[in-house]
Amino acid sequence: MNETISTTSTPATQAPAEEGSASGRSIRWSTILVWAGVVALLAVLGWGLINVNEGRPDAGVDAPVFNVQFFDGYGWQGSPQASMDDFRGNVVVLNFWASWCVECRVEADLLESAWRQYKDQGVIFLGVAYVDSEAKSLAYLEEFDITYPNGPDLGSSISEEFNITGVPETFFIGKDGKVSRFVLGPVNESLLHNEINTLLAQQAVN
């Protein structure tokens, strides 16, 4: 009787072990496949970001030449439009923004305050409204009492020249017309003043 019990119990104890092993292998392979997919996705996203930023003008290169038509009441030297060449010999703070942009509101007061401080020292602040309606853009400018030159990015031509990926984005351009620094997201007070003062210290370019 003991032999019978022993014989029938052996297969019963072995079967669950085999099923557990197969289940474990299946779970391990599923985990590996999931992580492989995640890594592949991150690689694709990283490649995409590299290519998106590929055409953005780096520090030390000439800023793209563009034309801007200003909003009524937000021109420069009484002109309704201007070209990047018109600003040569001045320090330019080029800021891309939009009324629908939450982070743009973080820096709006700071930009206007700095403009009022430096506007008589050869510094030009230039705002470019990105993918925004004129009515909403003007309401935004009035809300923050902005007085420096501003205009719409008609046909997104200016943002395409600078290859921006969103707003806010700010480019600092020296008297020689070369990009000195790029800031993704809101600028802070220390960076803004330090960069402007550094560029003002450069020799004027004829």
Side-chain angles (χ1 to χ4, degrees):
M1 184 173 182
N2 290 338
E3 291 181 359
T4 302
I5 293 173
S6 175
T7 302
T8 57
S9 63
T10 301
T13 56
Q14 290 177 344
E18 292 175 354
E19 290 175 1
S21 177
S23 176
R25 286 195 298 270
S26 176
I27 292 173
R28 284 195 295 274
W29 275 110
S30 297
T31 302
I32 291 171
L33 290 174
V34 168
W35 279 108
V38 170
V39 171
L41 177 60
L42 290 175
V44 171
L45 290 175
W47 180 86
L49 289 173
I50 290 172
N51 280 273
V52 164
N53 296 331
E54 194 175 64
R56 180 180 290 146
D58 294 323
V61 306
D62 291 333
V65 176
F66 61 87
N67 296 309
V68 57
Q69 295 183 18
F70 299 113
F71 291 123
D72 288 341
Y74 291 91
W76 181 67
Q77 294 187 341
S79 176
Q81 62 182 14
S83 166
M84 186 63 212
D85 286 338
D86 296 328
F87 305 136
R88 199 171 182 85
N90 296 279
V91 172
V92 179
V93 180
L94 175 62
N95 176 253
F96 290 89
W97 61 275
S99 65
W100 44 262
C101 166
V102 176
E103 290 192 318
C104 295
R105 296 174 174 273
V106 175
E107 63 180 9
D109 287 333
L110 172 61
L111 292 173
E112 174 62 22
S113 175
W115 157 248
R116 296 186 184 192
Q117 176 179 344
Y118 290 103
K119 66 180 181 178
D120 296 324
Q121 300 180 43
V123 179
I124 298 169
F125 278 62
L126 176 60
V128 177
Y130 173 71
V131 190
D132 208 354
S133 71
E134 181 172 348
K136 291 181 178 179
S137 294
L138 289 173
Y140 176 94
L141 294 173
E142 183 176 355
E143 177 184 350
F144 290 98
D145 195 21
I146 291 174
T147 61
Y148 56 84
N150 262 275
D153 188 9
L154 299 176
S156 299
S157 59
I158 305 175
S159 57
E160 288 177 1
E161 287 288 344
F162 283 83
N163 201 35
I164 73 167
T165 57
V167 286
E169 292 191 11
T170 302
F171 293 83
F172 292 87
I173 303 169
K175 301 174 185 178
D176 56 1
K178 296 183 183 297
V179 174
S180 68
R181 188 163 188 169
F182 161 76
V183 178
L184 177 65
V187 295
N188 61 60
E189 184 173 7
S190 176
L191 183 152
L192 180 62
H193 288 278
N194 286 341
E195 192 65 24
I196 290 175
N197 289 329
T198 297
L199 292 175
L200 282 174
Q202 292 180 347
Q203 294 296 317
V205 178
N206 295 326

